[in-house]
Amino acid sequence: MFRTLDELVEAARARGPARIAVAAGQDADVIEALKRAGEIGLAEGIFVGHQEKILALAKASGLEIPADRLIHEPDEAAAARRAIALVREGSASLLMKGKISTAMLVRAVLDREAGLRTGRLLSQVIVFQAPGFDRLMVMTDAAINIAPTLEQKAEMCRNAIEVAHAIGIAKPNLAALCALEFVNQDMPATLDAAGLTMMNRRGQIAGAYVEGPVALDVPLSRFAAGRKGIESPLVENTDIFVAPDIEAANILYRAILYFAKGESGGIVVGARVPLILLSRAETPETKIRSIAIGMLVVAKRERGLTGRGDLD
């Protein structure tokens, strides 16, 4: 089990370098991140996009891109398709977003004929560390699923559990977050959380202990749990936080970064390979950590130990 993001990157680096197909590679931050990833032996990019722009940005960054790792395709949608083709043919093990909208790249990934779809739900999984905690934690989904249904939340749980296993958390504790700990018919998220708990008990969500509904203070504070009269394995020992919708997840994620001064990396799970679809506001360091997380998920899948129960 990795305690820090740096340890996670080192573990991935020992398996590298990975080949990453970058769709619309004319993005300065992505080029800088892959330059740094190359310097530490973590990964190297195959850039698909506007050749002149890519080369100009690479020159400014000090990155030399060999001719066999640069494919000229100025059209963004076509660049996405060609980058995906590199993954499908085995030339790359990860797919990364460059200067292209997330929606456009996801549409290409989900194409029935030429994409990377598997029948699983795509969901974002973030791995983070925060001051005051001696371990890595996981949260979902701050970027893809806006108002997930119960079944979609179950898939989000499975995807998050897969990532937790890949970073060495063998039996994660998962909190289905809500505003309180009681089922309330006027608060649909509490009904979904109770449903996820029952699905876990019945073996429909495997590889973790799931409990909900639960407010955020209970997993983080034994004092709060005691005052509420709650005894649970989650108390001060939660590994995965599943938010009720994208707004709650996004706010929680930004609070971790900006209020708590936490650090993170994240991938989108559910396609044939992990997807690195990060906001333009994310730092090169975050992109490097995200690459490392993706590499560890790939390694776990190659060993056939995804921890996805009947979806293995």
Side-chain angles (χ1 to χ4, degrees):
M1 177 177 175
F2 306 114
R3 295 289 178 180
T4 69
L5 291 166
D6 286 343
E7 290 179 6
L8 187 152
V9 171
E10 283 301 307
R13 191 172 70 86
R15 307 186 64 87
R19 278 279 179 101
I20 302 175
V22 184
Q26 59 273 12
D27 183 288
D29 291 334
V30 168
I31 286 173
E32 177 63 24
L34 284 170
K35 174 198 170 188
R36 298 189 191 183
E39 289 171 346
I40 63 174
L42 179 69
E44 56 190 23
I46 306 175
F47 296 87
V48 184
H50 195 293
Q51 180 172 309
E52 291 182 5
K53 294 180 180 179
I54 292 171
L55 289 174
L57 292 170
K59 182 177 180 180
S61 179
L63 173 65
E64 292 188 12
I65 302 176
D68 65 347
R69 290 200 276 118
L70 179 58
I71 300 172
H72 179 58
E73 181 48 77
D75 182 81
E76 291 182 6
R81 292 192 295 270
R82 293 190 70 173
I84 287 169
L86 291 171
V87 174
R88 288 173 62 91
E89 70 188 30
S91 297
S93 58
L94 297 172
L95 178 68
M96 190 169 190
K97 170 188 167 184
K99 203 170 186 63
I100 183 174
S101 72
T102 297
M104 181 178 290
L105 186 54
V106 168
R107 279 197 298 271
V109 167
L110 294 177
D111 184 89
R112 292 185 180 276
E113 299 300 325
L116 299 171
R117 66 186 299 147
T118 62
R120 291 167 53 181
L121 180 78
L122 297 186
S123 63
Q124 182 205 46
V125 182
I126 294 166
V127 178
F128 68 93
Q129 64 184 47
F133 294 86
D134 65 349
R135 67 187 189 280
L136 295 176
M137 292 169 280
V138 175
M139 66 164 293
T140 189
D141 170 352
I144 301 293
N145 296 283
I146 296 173
T149 64
L150 173 59
E151 185 51 45
Q152 287 172 328
K153 288 178 181 179
E155 275 291 282
M156 288 162 52
C157 289
R158 296 180 186 114
N159 286 347
I161 291 166
E162 178 183 6
V163 174
H165 288 177
I167 65 171
I169 306 174
K171 186 68 173 178
N173 291 325
L174 184 154
L177 295 177
C178 296
L180 43 73
E181 288 78 24
F182 303 101
V183 174
N184 183 330
Q185 292 190 1
D186 294 327
M187 302 175 72
T190 66
L191 300 174
D192 287 349
L196 295 173
T197 301
M198 184 57 69
M199 292 173 77
N200 176 242
R201 302 299 181 271
R202 299 280 174 85
Q204 293 172 273
I205 301 174
Y209 172 82
V210 177
E211 186 173 327
V214 61
L216 183 60
D217 55 351
V218 168
L220 299 181
S221 168
R222 193 167 300 281
F223 174 83
R227 285 294 183 268
K228 292 182 176 183
I230 296 174
E231 295 184 6
S232 167
L234 297 181
V235 178
E236 295 187 357
N237 193 33
T238 295
D239 303 293
I240 302 172
F241 299 85
V242 176
D245 57 34
I246 196 171
E247 292 172 329
N250 197 277
I251 291 168
L252 174 59
Y253 175 52
R254 301 300 174 187
I256 290 168
L257 296 186
Y258 293 102
F259 282 134
K261 305 301 181 185
E263 298 179 327
S264 71
I267 58 175
V268 171
V269 183
R272 188 181 299 184
V273 300
L275 313 176
I276 304 167
L277 310 180
L278 294 172
S279 163
R280 288 171 294 176
E282 303 292 2
T283 65
E285 290 78 14
T286 301
K287 291 179 172 65
I288 287 172
R289 297 175 195 130
S290 301
I291 291 168
I293 294 164
M295 290 172 64
L296 293 176
V297 169
V298 169
K300 190 74 168 178
R301 289 179 181 179
E302 288 175 348
R303 294 196 299 272
L305 300 172
T306 62
R308 287 181 53 85
D310 60 353
L311 296 179
D312 285 357

